[in-house]
Amino acid sequence: KTVGFANNKQVSDILYDKGIKHIFFEMDGGHTFTVWRKCLEETLPVLFQPGVVMPAKPATPAAEKRN
């Protein structure tokens, strides 16, 4: 496992600790076509389910600092 994986896992753990719903899964392989294809096959249907709400536009850095 790479440093990038460890960082992503740490972020996932923080999100879980804060009660933020998300999906994190581990799979063998690196950034290869086979891995990306499998991820897309599994992820795209989840993103386009009824009830999945995405923000209209991302917060600006200035707005994040005010909060």
Side-chain angles (χ1 to χ4, degrees), residues 9-35:
K9 178 71 170 107
Q10 184 178 17
V11 169
S12 178
D13 292 344
I14 291 168
L15 293 173
Y16 277 122
D17 291 344
K18 294 186 178 289
I20 298 172
K21 288 183 174 183
H22 68 285
I23 298 171
F24 180 86
F25 62 89
E26 299 177 35
M27 61 187 308
D28 293 330
H31 285 267
T32 63
F33 176 76
T34 304
V35 171

Side-chain angles (χ1 to χ4, degrees), residues 25 27 36-47:
F25 62 89
M27 61 187 308
W36 279 99
R37 181 175 174 186
K38 180 166 179 52
C39 288
L40 286 174
E41 288 175 6
E42 295 175 357
T43 304
L44 287 177
V46 174
L47 291 175

